[in-house]
Structures are given as C-alpha cells and as structure tokens.
Amino acid sequence: MKKIYSLLLLTVSTLSFGQVLTEDFNYADNAVLTANGWSAHSGAGTNPVDVGTSNGLTYAGYNTVANNAARLDNTGEDINKPFAAAVTSGSLYFSFLVNVTSGDAGYFAHLGTAPSTFAARIYVKPSTTTGKINFGISNSSTASFAATPTDFDLNTTYLIIVKYDVTAAGAASIWVKSTGVPASEAAAGTPEHTTTGSGTASIGGVFLRQYAATQN
C-alpha cells in the first residue's frame, strides 16, 4: 500500500501583510514539486516529493475541490517554497490539510529559511492509545507535545493551524481541527499545544520533510 502524508491547500498569512503563500499542489499526477516552484534543501533527488491525483483531500469550509496532494512517504528529499520576501515581524499563520496513515514519530512540516534555519516544526507520533496519533509543535529538533495530548485518528483529514510569533523567542501554537474553519484566533479556542524558545526572527518560506522510510 502506498504510504502517504497528504497536504493540500497550504496557506501562509500574516496579520500585517495578508496572505503570503498559497499552494494547492494542482500539478500533473506524479509531478515532482522541485519542478513546480519548490527547492530541495536536503537529499535532492532522493525519493523526490511528488503529488498524486488520487489522494487529494477535502474539508468542509476550507476547500470544495480535492486537488492533488503532496506525498511524504519515504526518507530522502526535503523541500521548501520561499516567500516573495522574508517575514521579519508580527504573527505568521500557517494552515494545511493532513491525512496520516501511520504515526511514525517525527516532524514533517515547518517554517524557516533555507537551508537550515527552522521554526514551528509540526510533529506527529503514535499515541499511547493503540491506533491513535498525537500532534505537537517545537522550534527545535526536540519534539514537544501537550502534557496530555489529544488523540486523533489515522486515515482522517484534519485542518492544522499554526501561529508563529516571528522573534528569536518564537512562541508557536498549533490547533488541530476535525470540523469547522475558525474565523479568528479567539474562535479557534485553546491551542492543542504552545511552545517557545529557539525561534528565529526571520521566516523565508515553508518546508516539507521526509524523515523515515516508513513515514506514512
């Protein structure tokens, strides 16, 4: 069975400058993202990140058409898509759809500046509850999850929303939604998890990461 993470309609915006990037992965079946505006910053050409027409995701209120989705299904190439200009102040919001079929522990998406300045890394791991997964967030390579993380389901599409304060302290919060699209941060309610420290005061783009041969 093909092992995939699916990310669709990735949107990055700031309160000060509005939307700075949108990506719906609407390219030809099996097209590699490095041929469509993305750049490899690690493992270039090794198991390149591609898109699939059969694994697009939908989420009521967020999108109405299942376009293609990025497949993060191996170890190897990690990629990024730069903003037109770096964001150096304010709050940056980052949202996307995800469907996880296996919760191998690691981070798979984040903000940063190529090649190696990273922030707001989105983690997944298997829950202590069999068949469930947890989402977390950290500015570093050390995973951070809620003290009592929420259990989420495999093979289910979720809306991930991330807030990152663009400073060296870099406070970052993650919300995971199974229904509804919040109209404001207040409407989103309490984040699943918030972390701070080890941040960066400049964000130049959005990143996708392949971290394990069994990544799903």
Side-chain angles (χ1 to χ4, degrees), residues 145-205:
F145 294 83
T148 304
T150 304
D151 282 344
F152 296 97
D153 294 318
L154 295 169
N155 305 301
T156 300
T157 298
Y158 293 103
L159 171 62
I160 302 286
I161 304 168
V162 174
K163 178 186 178 182
Y164 178 71
D165 292 333
V166 188
T167 68
S173 298
I174 181 173
W175 292 261
V176 184
K177 297 296 181 181
S178 58
T179 59
V181 180
S184 66
E185 184 177 335
T190 303
E192 166 66 16
H193 188 46
T194 296
T195 187
T196 190
S198 303
T200 177
S202 178
I203 299 293

Coordinates of all heavy atoms in Angstrom, one line a residue, residues 145-205:
F145 N 5.0 18.1 23.0 CA 3.6 17.8 22.9 C 2.9 18.3 24.2 O 3.5 18.5 25.2 CB 3.3 16.2 22.8 CG 3.8 15.7 21.5 CD1 5.2 15.3 21.3 CD2 3.0 15.5 20.4 CE1 5.6 14.8 20.1 CE2 3.4 15.0 19.2 CZ 4.7 14.6 19.0
A146 N 1.6 18.4 24.1 CA 0.8 18.7 25.3 C 1.1 17.7 26.4 O 1.4 16.5 26.2 CB -0.7 18.8 25.0
A147 N 0.9 18.1 27.7 CA 1.1 17.2 28.8 C 0.2 16.0 28.7 O 0.6 14.9 29.0 CB 0.9 18.0 30.1
T148 N -1.0 16.3 28.3 CA -1.9 15.2 28.0 C -2.4 15.4 26.5 O -3.4 16.1 26.3 CB -3.1 15.2 28.9 OG1 -2.7 15.1 30.3 CG2 -4.1 14.0 28.7
P149 N -1.7 14.9 25.6 CA -2.1 15.2 24.2 C -3.4 14.6 23.8 O -3.8 13.5 24.3 CB -0.9 14.6 23.4 CG -0.3 13.5 24.3 CD -0.5 14.0 25.7
T150 N -4.1 15.3 22.9 CA -5.3 14.8 22.3 C -5.1 13.6 21.4 O -4.1 13.7 20.6 CB -6.0 15.9 21.5 OG1 -6.2 17.0 22.4 CG2 -7.4 15.5 21.0
D151 N -5.9 12.6 21.4 CA -5.8 11.5 20.5 C -6.5 11.9 19.2 O -7.7 12.3 19.2 CB -6.4 10.2 21.1 CG -5.4 9.6 22.0 OD1 -4.2 9.9 22.0 OD2 -5.9 8.7 22.8
F152 N -5.9 11.7 18.1 CA -6.5 11.9 16.8 C -6.5 10.5 16.0 O -5.7 9.7 16.3 CB -5.8 13.0 16.0 CG -5.9 14.3 16.6 CD1 -4.9 14.8 17.5 CD2 -7.1 15.1 16.5 CE1 -5.0 16.0 18.1 CE2 -7.2 16.3 17.1 CZ -6.2 16.8 17.9
D153 N -7.3 10.4 14.9 CA -7.5 9.2 14.2 C -6.6 9.1 13.0 O -6.3 10.1 12.3 CB -8.9 9.0 13.8 CG -9.9 8.8 14.9 OD1 -9.5 8.1 15.9 OD2 -11.0 9.4 14.9
L154 N -6.1 7.9 12.7 CA -5.4 7.7 11.4 C -6.5 7.7 10.3 O -7.7 7.6 10.5 CB -4.8 6.3 11.4 CG -3.6 6.1 12.4 CD1 -3.2 4.7 12.5 CD2 -2.4 7.0 12.0
N155 N -6.0 7.9 9.1 CA -6.8 7.9 7.9 C -8.0 8.9 7.9 O -9.1 8.7 7.4 CB -7.4 6.5 7.6 CG -6.3 5.5 7.5 OD1 -5.4 5.6 6.7 ND2 -6.3 4.5 8.4
T156 N -7.7 10.0 8.6 CA -8.7 11.1 8.8 C -8.1 12.4 8.4 O -7.0 12.7 8.8 CB -9.2 11.1 10.2 OG1 -9.8 9.8 10.6 CG2 -10.3 12.2 10.4
T157 N -8.9 13.3 7.7 CA -8.4 14.6 7.3 C -8.6 15.6 8.4 O -9.7 15.8 8.8 CB -9.0 15.0 6.0 OG1 -8.7 14.1 4.9 CG2 -8.5 16.4 5.6
Y158 N -7.5 16.3 8.7 CA -7.6 17.3 9.7 C -7.1 18.7 9.2 O -6.3 18.7 8.3 CB -6.7 17.0 11.0 CG -7.3 15.8 11.7 CD1 -6.7 14.6 11.6 CD2 -8.4 15.9 12.6 CE1 -7.1 13.5 12.4 CE2 -8.9 14.9 13.3 CZ -8.2 13.6 13.2 OH -8.7 12.5 13.9
L159 N -7.6 19.7 9.7 CA -7.1 21.1 9.4 C -6.1 21.5 10.5 O -6.5 21.5 11.7 CB -8.2 22.1 9.3 CG -7.8 23.6 9.2 CD1 -7.0 23.8 7.9 CD2 -9.1 24.5 9.3
I160 N -4.8 21.7 10.1 CA -3.8 22.1 11.1 C -3.6 23.6 10.9 O -3.5 24.1 9.8 CB -2.5 21.4 10.8 CG1 -2.6 19.9 10.8 CG2 -1.4 21.9 11.7 CD1 -2.7 19.3 12.2
I161 N -3.7 24.3 12.0 CA -3.4 25.8 12.0 C -2.3 26.1 13.0 O -2.3 25.6 14.1 CB -4.7 26.5 12.5 CG1 -5.9 26.2 11.6 CG2 -4.4 28.1 12.4 CD1 -7.2 26.7 12.1
V162 N -1.3 26.8 12.5 CA -0.2 27.1 13.3 C 0.0 28.7 13.4 O -0.2 29.3 12.4 CB 1.1 26.5 12.7 CG1 2.4 27.0 13.5 CG2 1.0 25.0 12.7
K163 N 0.3 29.2 14.6 CA 0.6 30.6 14.8 C 2.1 30.6 15.2 O 2.5 30.0 16.2 CB -0.3 31.2 15.8 CG 0.1 32.7 16.1 CD -0.7 33.3 17.2 CE -0.3 34.7 17.5 NZ -1.1 35.3 18.6
Y164 N 2.9 31.5 14.6 CA 4.3 31.6 14.9 C 4.6 33.1 15.1 O 4.4 33.9 14.2 CB 5.2 31.0 13.9 CG 6.7 31.2 14.2 CD1 7.3 30.5 15.3 CD2 7.5 32.2 13.6 CE1 8.6 30.7 15.6 CE2 8.8 32.4 13.9 CZ 9.3 31.7 14.9 OH 10.6 31.9 15.3
D165 N 5.1 33.5 16.3 CA 5.5 34.9 16.5 C 6.9 35.0 16.0 O 7.8 34.4 16.6 CB 5.4 35.2 18.0 CG 3.9 35.3 18.5 OD1 3.0 35.6 17.7 OD2 3.7 35.1 19.7
V166 N 7.1 35.9 15.0 CA 8.4 36.0 14.4 C 9.4 36.8 15.2 O 9.6 38.0 15.0 CB 8.3 36.6 13.0 CG1 9.6 36.5 12.2 CG2 7.2 35.8 12.2
T167 N 10.0 36.1 16.2 CA 11.0 36.7 17.0 C 12.0 35.6 17.4 O 11.8 34.4 17.1 CB 10.4 37.2 18.4 OG1 9.9 36.1 19.1 CG2 9.3 38.2 18.1
A168 N 13.1 36.0 18.0 CA 14.1 35.0 18.5 C 13.5 34.0 19.5 O 14.0 32.9 19.6 CB 15.3 35.7 19.0
A169 N 12.6 34.5 20.3 CA 11.9 33.6 21.3 C 11.0 32.7 20.6 O 10.8 31.5 20.9 CB 11.2 34.4 22.3
G170 N 10.3 33.2 19.6 CA 9.5 32.3 18.7 C 8.4 31.5 19.3 O 8.3 30.3 19.1
A171 N 7.4 32.1 20.0 CA 6.3 31.4 20.5 C 5.5 30.8 19.3 O 5.3 31.5 18.3 CB 5.4 32.3 21.3
A172 N 5.1 29.5 19.5 CA 4.4 28.8 18.4 C 3.3 28.0 19.0 O 3.4 27.4 20.1 CB 5.4 27.9 17.7
S173 N 2.1 28.0 18.4 CA 0.9 27.3 18.8 C 0.4 26.5 17.7 O 0.5 26.9 16.5 CB -0.1 28.2 19.4 OG 0.3 29.0 20.5
I174 N -0.3 25.4 18.0 CA -0.9 24.5 17.0 C -2.3 24.2 17.4 O -2.6 23.9 18.6 CB -0.1 23.2 16.8 CG1 -0.7 22.3 15.7 CG2 0.1 22.4 18.1 CD1 0.1 21.1 15.3
W175 N -3.2 24.3 16.4 CA -4.6 23.8 16.6 C -4.8 22.7 15.6 O -4.3 22.8 14.5 CB -5.6 25.0 16.3 CG -5.6 26.1 17.3 CD1 -6.5 26.3 18.3 CD2 -4.8 27.3 17.3 NE1 -6.3 27.5 18.9 CE2 -5.2 28.1 18.3 CE3 -3.7 27.6 16.5 CZ2 -4.6 29.3 18.6 CZ3 -3.0 28.8 16.8 CH2 -3.5 29.6 17.9
V176 N -5.6 21.7 16.0 CA -5.9 20.6 15.1 C -7.4 20.5 15.1 O -8.1 20.2 16.1 CB -5.3 19.3 15.6 CG1 -5.6 18.2 14.6 CG2 -3.8 19.4 15.8
K177 N -8.0 20.7 13.9 CA -9.5 20.8 13.8 C -10.0 19.6 12.9 O -9.5 19.3 11.9 CB -9.9 22.1 13.1 CG -9.6 23.3 14.0 CD -10.3 23.3 15.3 CE -10.0 24.5 16.1 NZ -10.7 24.5 17.4
S178 N -11.1 19.0 13.4 CA -11.7 17.9 12.6 C -13.0 18.4 11.9 O -13.4 17.8 10.9 CB -12.1 16.7 13.6 OG -13.0 17.2 14.6
T179 N -13.5 19.5 12.4 CA -14.6 20.2 11.7 C -14.5 21.7 11.9 O -13.9 22.1 12.9 CB -16.0 19.7 12.3 OG1 -16.1 20.1 13.7 CG2 -16.2 18.3 12.1
G180 N -15.1 22.5 11.0 CA -15.1 23.9 11.1 C -13.8 24.6 10.8 O -12.7 24.0 10.9
V181 N -13.9 25.8 10.3 CA -12.8 26.7 10.0 C -12.9 28.0 10.8 O -13.8 28.8 10.5 CB -12.8 27.0 8.5 CG1 -11.6 27.9 8.2 CG2 -12.7 25.8 7.7
P182 N -12.2 28.1 11.9 CA -12.3 29.3 12.8 C -12.2 30.6 12.0 O -11.3 30.8 11.2 CB -11.2 29.1 13.8 CG -10.9 27.7 13.7 CD -11.1 27.2 12.3
A183 N -13.0 31.6 12.3 CA -12.9 32.9 11.7 C -11.9 33.8 12.3 O -11.5 34.8 11.8 CB -14.3 33.5 11.7
S184 N -11.4 33.4 13.5 CA -10.5 34.2 14.2 C -9.7 33.3 15.2 O -10.1 32.2 15.4 CB -11.1 35.3 15.0 OG -11.9 34.7 16.1
E185 N -8.6 33.8 15.7 CA -7.8 33.0 16.7 C -8.7 32.8 17.9 O -8.6 31.6 18.5 CB -6.6 33.8 17.1 CG -5.7 33.0 18.0 CD -4.4 33.7 18.3 OE1 -3.9 34.5 17.5 OE2 -3.8 33.4 19.4
A186 N -9.5 33.7 18.4 CA -10.3 33.5 19.5 C -11.3 32.4 19.3 O -11.6 31.6 20.1 CB -11.0 34.8 19.9
A187 N -11.9 32.4 18.0 CA -12.8 31.3 17.7 C -12.2 29.9 17.6 O -12.9 28.9 17.8 CB -13.5 31.7 16.3
A188 N -10.9 29.9 17.4 CA -10.2 28.6 17.3 C -10.1 27.9 18.7 O -10.0 26.7 18.8 CB -8.8 28.8 16.8
G189 N -10.2 28.7 19.8 CA -10.2 28.2 21.1 C -8.8 27.9 21.6 O -7.8 28.4 21.1
T190 N -8.7 27.1 22.6 CA -7.4 26.8 23.2 C -6.5 26.0 22.3 O -7.0 24.9 21.8 CB -7.6 26.0 24.6 OG1 -8.4 26.8 25.4 CG2 -6.3 25.7 25.2
P191 N -5.3 26.3 22.1 CA -4.4 25.5 21.2 C -4.2 24.1 21.7 O -4.3 23.9 23.0 CB -3.1 26.3 21.1 CG -3.4 27.7 21.6 CD -4.6 27.5 22.6
E192 N -4.0 23.2 20.9 CA -3.5 21.8 21.3 C -2.3 21.9 22.1 O -2.1 21.2 23.1 CB -3.3 20.9 20.1 CG -2.6 19.6 20.3 CD -3.4 18.7 21.2 OE1 -4.6 18.8 21.4 OE2 -2.8 17.7 21.7
H193 N -1.3 22.8 21.6 CA -0.1 22.9 22.3 C 0.6 24.2 22.0 O 0.4 24.7 20.8 CB 0.9 21.8 22.0 CG 2.1 21.7 22.8 ND1 2.1 21.9 24.2 CD2 3.4 21.5 22.4 CE1 3.4 21.7 24.6 NE2 4.2 21.5 23.6
T194 N 1.3 24.8 22.9 CA 2.1 26.1 22.7 C 3.5 25.8 23.2 O 3.7 25.2 24.3 CB 1.4 27.3 23.4 OG1 0.2 27.5 22.8 CG2 2.3 28.5 23.2
T195 N 4.5 26.3 22.5 CA 5.9 26.2 22.9 C 6.6 27.5 22.6 O 6.1 28.4 21.9 CB 6.6 25.0 22.2 OG1 7.9 24.8 22.7 CG2 6.7 25.3 20.7
T196 N 7.8 27.7 23.2 CA 8.5 28.9 22.9 C 10.0 28.6 23.0 O 10.4 27.5 23.5 CB 8.1 30.0 23.9 OG1 8.7 31.3 23.5 CG2 8.6 29.7 25.3
G197 N 10.8 29.6 22.6 CA 12.3 29.4 22.7 C 12.8 28.8 21.4 O 12.1 28.2 20.6
S198 N 14.1 29.1 21.2 CA 14.8 28.5 20.0 C 14.2 28.9 18.7 O 14.2 28.2 17.7 CB 14.9 27.0 20.0 OG 15.5 26.6 21.2
G199 N 13.6 30.1 18.6 CA 13.0 30.6 17.4 C 13.9 31.3 16.5 O 15.2 31.3 16.7
T200 N 13.4 32.0 15.5 CA 14.2 32.8 14.6 C 13.4 34.0 14.2 O 12.1 34.0 14.1 CB 14.5 32.0 13.3 OG1 15.2 32.8 12.4 CG2 13.3 31.4 12.6
A201 N 14.1 35.1 14.0 CA 13.4 36.4 13.8 C 13.2 36.7 12.3 O 12.8 37.8 11.9 CB 14.2 37.5 14.4
S202 N 13.4 35.7 11.4 CA 13.1 35.9 10.0 C 12.6 34.5 9.4 O 13.3 33.5 9.6 CB 14.4 36.3 9.3 OG 14.2 36.4 7.9
I203 N 11.5 34.6 8.7 CA 11.0 33.4 8.1 C 10.9 33.6 6.6 O 10.3 34.6 6.1 CB 9.5 33.1 8.7 CG1 9.6 32.8 10.2 CG2 8.9 31.9 7.9 CD1 10.3 31.6 10.5
G204 N 11.6 32.8 5.9 CA 11.6 32.9 4.4 C 10.8 32.0 3.6 O 10.7 32.2 2.4
G205 N 10.2 31.0 4.2 CA 9.4 30.1 3.4 C 8.8 29.0 4.2 O 8.9 28.9 5.5

